[in-house]
Amino acid sequence: MKESYNWILNRLPYTEPFLFVNEIRHVDAKGVEGTYRFSPDADFYKGHFKNNPVSPGVILTECCAQIGLVCLGMYLLGKESEIGNMAIGMSSSQMEFLQPVFPGERVRVVSELVYFRFQKIKCEVKMYNEDDKLVCKGVLAGMIGTANE
């Protein structure tokens, strides 16, 4: 039976329209894999770009951060961590964009943990499209922990 990671999804500090995680396929102490489908009705497509909408790089980065940093960090902190006091923030990003992501496309994010210590988390992330082509890749870092730490 497939393990459920709904406890992580239910504790994410995001809601529509700024939630970019649909599913966590796998997570362990070394990394996480999750998916997101970009709604063709998302407001940012209306102006990016005229008559040829694509997902903005900043949104692709955010999707990678929500899956690759936040979901993994929550897993590493554990089910028993006090989510009400959760403090999350991205401190750095270095991304390379290789393919466009169009409205309605589903992407898969794979994140490998570089380190998690002193509430700082750093990961190497890769995003793939539905054809399993690499869309973007990079290194993201942030802080995650409870606010009283």
Side-chain angles (χ1 to χ4, degrees), residues 83-135:
I83 194 65
N85 293 330
M86 187 66 63
I88 300 169
M90 189 163 60
S91 58
S92 68
S93 65
Q94 181 181 357
M95 297 293 289
E96 181 179 1
F97 302 97
L98 307 166
Q99 300 278 333
V101 174
F102 298 104
E105 274 196 270
R106 185 173 71 126
V107 295
R108 178 174 57 94
V109 174
V110 177
S111 175
E112 293 182 21
L113 181 68
V114 174
Y115 64 77
F116 180 55
R117 60 181 174 267
F118 305 115
Q119 307 314 319
K120 182 153 179 152
I121 185 169
K122 185 174 184 178
C123 299
E124 292 180 358
V125 296
K126 292 180 180 176
M127 177 184 282
Y128 299 91
N129 64 18
E130 291 177 285
D131 294 328
D132 210 33
K133 291 184 179 171
L134 186 62
V135 168

Side-chain angles (χ1 to χ4, degrees), residues 11-60:
R11 295 170 115 188
L12 286 172
Y14 314 103
T15 60
E16 293 293 337
F18 207 73
L19 174 65
F20 300 107
V21 183
N22 292 135
E23 173 190 30
I24 299 172
R25 290 183 171 179
H26 176 78
V27 63
D28 61 28
K30 295 179 182 178
V32 63
E33 180 177 327
T35 64
Y36 180 73
R37 182 173 303 278
F38 286 92
S39 170
D41 300 326
D43 276 346
F44 52 79
Y45 288 127
K46 294 175 185 170
H48 194 268
F49 291 94
K50 289 181 184 178
N51 303 316
N52 189 25
V54 297
S55 303
V58 68
I59 299 296
L60 299 180

